[in-house]
Amino acid sequence: MALLLGLLGLVAVVLYTGGRLDLTALKAIKLPYLLACLGLIILDWLSEAVRLTLLSRALGEQVGVLAVLRIVFMGAFFARITPFDSGGEPFQIYALHRDGMSLGHATATIAVKALLHGLARVSLGILVPVWLLLTARGWRLGRAASVALYAGMTIYLAISGLIVLAVFQRGNAKKLLERLARARWLNRWVGEARISRLIERLEANYRSFVAAMRQFGQERRSTVLLVGIISFLSWAAVLAVPVILVRALGGASPVAEITATAIIFYLAVAYAPTPGSAGASELGFATLFARFVPLPLVGVLVLAWRLLTHYLTLLLGFVVTGLSMIRRRPGQPPQ
């Protein structure tokens, strides 16, 4: 489905820009530009692995380097085949727990990583209007970019608020589970003993999660700060890729303008409801970046960017996930 939607999105971009995809222009992109983009993408992969390692070891967990890299690629794969990119973090929690980390610690590790990564993205979005005032020389955000900027920030803050509310409403959630446990129809279907064990397990995992979050906030602040800085560096690597590709195709717009547009794009596209934001990414990228290159090259820009930043990771994630499932069959103990 993700591949089909991505293909349809690219076809729509090509039709919008004249009905022809100039593959000769794609071949004409010089090797140093491609190597620079590939290096930035690898840097983004490694930065996530470093963040996971730092956070897990801050809680006293020992996760191997190869295991962390495997978890990064597997999470990236599931993010790219699920709506809203929503499958990545839950699968990483599962993978960390499967490798021996307690569920509470695994949840806290991924929660802090995701929170800091999202906070870095929104912080960059907040800086765009200020950046615009300080550096703009004859350029302004278009209507589409402005709508994407404020819509993305609003959605992120709303989702963050709901998550915080859910955490603070844990007591009500527990009461609801206990009420369900007393329901006759559920007892006949599941069994009272099994429901009680489930509630106890959830409570234990929640206590472990709260203890881990308290440890991050009180004893491991330096680690959290370092992970936050690495999150900004990771975003810098991601944002530089479209800048390089625009330059590779002859675009001469100011770097500040291209980077600001990239920040806005990534802020908004994360909430597209399609698997891996497929289709929406192609159309949104073309809409926001069309003013940086000649119209016939917009399709080439979208294709090059998507191949490097999405399909390469999707392919590697698929391979790593497949190998992991083959090597670890049901019933096999964690490695």
Side-chain angles (χ1 to χ4, degrees), residues 6-17:
L7 178 61
L8 291 176
L10 181 61
V11 169
V13 170
V14 172
L15 292 176
Y16 170 74
T17 56

Side-chain angles (χ1 to χ4, degrees), residues 180-214:
L180 286 173
R182 292 192 296 268
R184 292 181 179 179
W185 62 270
L186 190 60
N187 283 330
R188 287 196 299 267
W189 182 41
V190 180
E192 184 175 357
R194 184 176 296 177
I195 295 173
S196 298
R197 287 196 299 270
L198 175 61
I199 293 175
E200 291 175 1
R201 189 180 302 171
L202 289 174
E203 184 67 18
N205 287 325
Y206 179 79
R207 286 195 298 269
S208 174
F209 169 78
V210 170
M213 294 298 287
R214 187 179 298 114

Side-chain angles (χ1 to χ4, degrees), residues 70 74 77-78 91 94 98 317-330 332:
R70 186 184 74 245
M74 293 172 73
F77 172 71
F78 281 95
F91 190 84
Y94 162 75
R98 188 188 65 174
F318 173 76
V319 171
V320 171
T321 302
L323 290 176
S324 179
M325 290 181 175
I326 291 173
R327 292 176 181 174
R328 179 145 182 219
R329 295 172 182 172
Q332 184 178 350

Side-chain angles (χ1 to χ4, degrees), residues 63-325:
V63 183
V65 175
L66 292 179
V68 170
L69 284 172
R70 186 184 74 245
I71 290 168
V72 167
F73 282 114
M74 293 172 73
F77 172 71
F78 281 95
R80 281 162 172 76
I81 62 173
T82 51
F84 301 102
D85 295 345
S86 59
E89 277 81 18
F91 190 84
Q92 287 183 338
I93 293 172
Y94 162 75
L96 286 172
H97 179 55
R98 188 188 65 174
D99 284 352
M101 187 181 292
S102 70
L103 188 57
H105 280 189
T107 304
T109 297
I110 299 303
V112 172
K113 177 184 74 76
L115 177 64
L116 292 173
H117 198 58
L119 183 61
R121 176 171 53 192
V122 171
S123 298
L124 290 169
I126 293 173
L127 289 174
V128 167
V130 178
W131 190 356
L132 187 64
L133 291 174
L134 296 177
T135 65
R137 296 293 183 272
W139 62 273
R140 292 290 185 273
L141 292 178
R143 180 176 177 82
S146 298
V147 171
L149 171 64
Y150 295 111
M153 290 172 57
T154 300
I155 294 173
Y156 176 83
L157 293 174
I159 292 174
S160 300
L162 290 174
I163 293 174
V164 172
L165 181 63
V167 171
F168 281 107
Q169 291 297 315
R170 179 190 66 92
N172 292 335
K174 183 181 178 182
K175 291 179 182 178
L176 177 61
L177 288 174
E178 291 174 345
R179 190 178 305 166
L180 286 173
R182 292 192 296 268
R184 292 181 179 179
W185 62 270
L186 190 60
N187 283 330
R188 287 196 299 267
W189 182 41
V190 180
E192 184 175 357
R194 184 176 296 177
I195 295 173
S196 298
R197 287 196 299 270
L198 175 61
I199 293 175
E200 291 175 1
R201 189 180 302 171
L202 289 174
E203 184 67 18
N205 287 325
Y206 179 79
R207 286 195 298 269
S208 174
F209 169 78
V210 170
M213 294 298 287
R214 187 179 298 114
Q215 188 172 351
F216 280 132
Q218 296 177 357
E219 302 172 16
R220 300 294 183 179
R221 293 178 183 174
S222 59
T223 300
V224 172
L225 177 60
L226 178 58
V227 171
I229 293 172
I230 296 174
S231 296
F232 274 99
L233 295 177
S234 176
W235 273 115
V238 171
L239 296 173
V241 173
V243 175
I244 293 173
L245 290 176
V246 167
R247 284 286 187 267
L249 291 173
S253 300
V255 171
E257 183 181 3
I258 302 172
T259 306
T261 303
I263 293 171
I264 294 166
F265 169 79
Y266 280 107
L267 187 65
V269 78
Y271 308 108
T274 56
S277 303
S281 288
E282 287 80 2
L283 293 172
F285 194 85
T287 300
L288 293 178
F289 284 83
R291 66 181 186 273
F292 297 129
V293 297
L295 193 62
L297 295 181
V298 173
V300 176
L301 175 63
V302 172
L303 178 60
W305 167 76
R306 199 64 168 155
L307 285 173
L308 287 167
T309 63
H310 178 77
Y311 290 110
L312 176 60
T313 305
L314 179 67
L315 176 61
L316 290 175
F318 173 76
V319 171
V320 171
T321 302
L323 290 176
S324 179
M325 290 181 175

